[in-house]
């Protein structure tokens, strides 16, 4: 209350001085130049009375507005009472600023919620390969301790165990890469370096980095490129991570739920130029995505029907790809037919 009164007096000090100086000059003018016999007390009392009425009226509006602001600052359910056009504009500005900050806070909360869920899911998924590696090591220890290593374990068995260890180790490495990239996404602007990228070269590297996954799952890449020298504007590291994530999904879901593990399958890649854009297509021969899930595959943690059947699905891979594409000004789309395969397209702006 005292603060409002003090602020009001400070705000109205200038107009108070101007008002009484103006009144004094008018009285002085009449007294000196028109009629010296004019009674001075009457206009002074009249002027002061009018000012007191004005002062009280202004104070009522001022107090009502500022009191509502103070209440609204501690209680979000209290509305700011605007009595003048100036107050209305102040109220609009306050609401605009408040909404902007609330949207920012809600965005941060949502990102924090996604990160927490991701890390919880990641920890849960990492338990599986660690447990499998532990079982394989224990089996090897038992065979060594029982002195059967030279008699019963053949090279094929050892090679198979090594392959299994390598596969589980790759899962851990991919999981660690996923965590690091989720952290980097929060500071994407600092980690983003736009440059001219050879799309065929990036695709080739992403395929070679997953050579063991292709071999282990009996799946082969088939690259059909109309323009191997095509340059696009992107970030080399983030683009290769995104391509690698899509390729890993293609391999995983090509072999998932497959009854005949010896059957050869292909993941087809195509790069072509279309006007000022370059489009890369990655198509697999996997399980595909049901129609009722296709529109939600880019949502964080959405795994859908396939996720319920494939326990290692996290629902974070395509979400990260979508976020990366938005930040790099690329466009990603996905088409699928359940039981026949999935096709992912990424559209880049070509470098002239």
């Amino acid at each position: 209350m005292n603060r409002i009164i003090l602020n009001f007096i400070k705000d109205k000090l200038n107009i108070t001085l101007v008002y009484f100086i103006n009144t004094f000059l008018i009285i002085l003018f009449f007294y000196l130049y028109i009629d010296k016999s004019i009674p001075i007390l009457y206009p002074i009392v009249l002027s002061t009375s009018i000012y007191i009425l004005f002062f009280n009226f202004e104070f009522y509006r001022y107090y009502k507005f500022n009191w509502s602001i103070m209440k609204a600052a501690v209680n979000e359910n209290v509305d700011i009472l605007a009595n003048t056009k100036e107050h209305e504009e102040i109220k609009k500005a306050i609401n605009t600023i408040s909404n902007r900050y609330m949207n920012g806070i809600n965005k941060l909360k949502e990102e924090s919620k996604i990160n927490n869920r991701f890390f919880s899911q990641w920890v849960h998924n990492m338990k599986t390969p660690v447990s499998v590696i532990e079982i394989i090591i224990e089996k090897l220890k038992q065979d060594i301790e029982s002195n059967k290593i030279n008699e019963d374990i053949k090279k094929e068995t050892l090679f198979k165990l090594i392959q299994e260890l390598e596969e589980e180790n790759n899962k851990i490495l991919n999981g660690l890469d996923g965590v690091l990239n989720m952290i980097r996404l929060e500071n994407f602007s600092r980690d983003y370096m736009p440059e001219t990228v050879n799309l065929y070269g990036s695709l080739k590297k992403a395929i070679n980095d997953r050579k063991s996954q292709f071999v282990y799952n009996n799946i082969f890449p088939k690259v059909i490129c109309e323009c191997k020298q095509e340059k696009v504007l992107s970030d080399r590291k983030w683009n290769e991570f995104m391509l690698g994530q899509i390729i890993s999904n293609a391999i995983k879901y090509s072999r998932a739920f497959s009854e005949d593990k010896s059957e050869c399958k292909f993941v087809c890649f195509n790069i072509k130029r279309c006007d000022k854009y370059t489009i890369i297509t990655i198509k697999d021969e996997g399980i595909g995505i049901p129609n009722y899930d296709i529109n939600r595959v880019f949502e964080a943690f959405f795994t859908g029907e396939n996720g319920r059947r494939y326990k290692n699905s996290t629902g974070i891979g395509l979400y990260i790809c979508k976020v990366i594409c938005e930040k790099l000004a690329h466009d990603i789309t996905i088409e699928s037919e359940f039981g026949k395969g999935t096709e992912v397209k990424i559209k880049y702006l070509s470098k002239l």
Side-chain angles (χ1 to χ4, degrees):
M1 177 67 176
N2 292 334
R3 190 175 71 178
I4 295 176
I5 294 174
L6 185 61
N7 289 337
F8 177 74
I9 292 173
K10 290 179 179 179
D11 288 343
K12 300 303 178 181
L13 183 59
N14 290 335
I15 192 171
T16 300
L17 291 174
V18 170
Y19 179 83
F20 282 107
I21 290 172
N22 183 64
T23 302
F24 172 76
L25 291 175
I26 292 173
I27 294 173
L28 184 63
F29 173 78
F30 272 90
Y31 181 76
L32 295 177
Y33 294 98
I34 298 178
D35 187 0
K36 291 185 179 182
S37 63
I38 185 172
I40 297 177
L41 184 60
Y42 175 74
I44 291 176
V45 172
L46 181 62
S47 177
T48 303
S49 300
I50 293 173
Y51 178 76
I52 290 173
L53 291 174
F54 168 77
F55 188 90
N56 288 331
F57 178 71
E58 282 296 300
F59 177 74
Y60 171 76
R61 296 198 300 179
Y62 187 92
Y63 175 83
K64 192 176 179 181
F65 177 68
N66 283 273
W67 182 254
S68 66
I69 288 180
M70 292 174 63
K71 284 291 187 180
V74 296
N75 187 351
E76 61 182 13
N77 296 322
V78 175
D79 189 29
I80 297 175
L81 302 176
N83 301 306
T84 65
K85 294 295 182 182
E86 180 186 20
H87 292 170
E88 288 179 1
E89 292 301 319
I90 293 173
K91 180 180 178 180
K92 287 180 183 178
I94 291 173
N95 289 336
T96 300
I97 295 170
S98 176
N99 290 335
R100 184 160 61 241
Y101 277 98
M102 287 304 299
N103 290 336
I105 291 171
N106 290 334
K107 184 178 179 181
L108 289 174
K109 285 182 178 179
E110 187 62 29
E111 290 176 355
S112 177
K113 184 179 177 181
I114 289 173
N115 287 340
N116 289 337
R117 287 186 61 188
F118 171 75
F119 288 125
S120 298
Q121 186 73 41
W122 177 81
V123 171
H124 177 74
N125 288 339
M126 287 304 100
K127 288 181 179 180
T128 301
V130 170
S131 298
V132 171
I133 290 173
E134 186 178 0
I135 291 171
I136 294 172
I137 292 172
E138 283 297 320
K139 186 177 185 305
L140 285 172
K141 283 182 178 180
Q142 290 174 5
D143 289 334
I144 293 172
E145 289 174 358
S146 60
N147 296 320
K148 294 181 179 180
I149 186 71
N150 295 323
E151 300 174 10
D152 300 329
I153 300 181
K154 297 181 180 180
K155 289 183 179 180
E156 305 88 56
T157 306
L158 285 172
F159 182 72
K160 184 178 179 182
L161 290 173
I162 291 171
Q163 275 189 322
E164 290 177 356
L165 284 170
E166 186 178 22
E167 179 68 17
E168 299 305 319
N169 188 57
N170 284 334
K171 290 179 182 178
I172 294 175
L173 290 175
N174 290 334
L176 291 172
D177 284 339
V179 170
L180 291 174
N181 282 289
M182 277 293 291
I183 295 172
R184 292 191 186 110
L185 276 177
E186 296 180 2
N187 299 299
F188 187 86
S189 58
R190 298 180 185 178
D191 199 43
Y192 167 51
M193 185 179 295
E195 57 186 323
T196 300
V197 176
N198 182 291
L199 196 54
Y200 177 75
S202 293
L203 175 61
K204 189 175 179 181
K205 184 178 183 304
I207 293 173
N208 289 335
D209 288 345
R210 285 150 187 81
K211 185 182 296 183
S212 60
Q213 286 181 258
F214 279 106
V215 173
Y216 183 80
N217 290 279
N218 199 25
I219 296 171
F220 300 94
K222 184 185 293 185
V223 182
I224 305 170
C225 293
E226 300 176 1
C227 38
K228 294 184 178 181
Q229 302 303 320
E230 192 65 36
K231 302 288 195 305
V232 297
L233 187 63
S234 186
D235 178 280
R236 188 183 308 277
K237 182 189 69 177
W238 283 110
N239 184 55
E240 288 177 1
F241 169 79
M242 178 174 59
L243 292 175
Q245 182 64 54
I246 296 171
I247 292 170
S248 294
N249 280 358
I251 296 171
K252 178 168 64 177
Y253 290 109
S254 289
R255 188 52 64 196
F257 323 123
S258 178
E259 295 180 359
D260 186 3
K261 302 296 183 181
S262 63
E263 178 189 5
C264 292
K265 290 192 175 185
F266 295 91
V267 177
C268 299
F269 303 89
N270 186 22
I271 299 175
K272 64 178 181 179
R273 177 73 180 265
C274 183
D275 296 328
K276 60 180 180 179
Y277 297 102
T278 299
I279 301 173
I280 184 169
T281 303
I282 302 174
K283 186 176 182 180
D284 63 54
E285 299 176 342
I287 188 62
I289 303 170
N291 290 332
Y292 48 82
D293 284 343
I294 194 70
N295 293 326
R296 299 186 60 192
V297 292
F298 292 117
E299 295 180 13
F301 303 106
F302 179 77
T303 57
E305 179 66 27
N306 292 339
R308 286 185 284 273
R309 299 172 63 189
Y310 191 84
K311 294 182 180 179
N312 287 332
S313 296
T314 62
I316 200 69
L318 287 178
Y319 165 75
I320 294 179
C321 291
K322 182 67 173 179
V323 172
I324 293 172
C325 280
E326 289 175 352
K327 292 182 180 293
L328 295 178
H330 305 333
D331 183 51
I332 184 170
T333 57
I334 188 167
E335 297 178 2
S336 185
E337 186 175 352
F338 190 66
K340 293 188 177 181
T342 301
E343 181 179 271
V344 179
K345 290 184 179 180
I346 307 174
K347 184 164 70 173
Y348 304 81
L349 182 64
S350 299
K351 184 70 175 178
L352 300 176

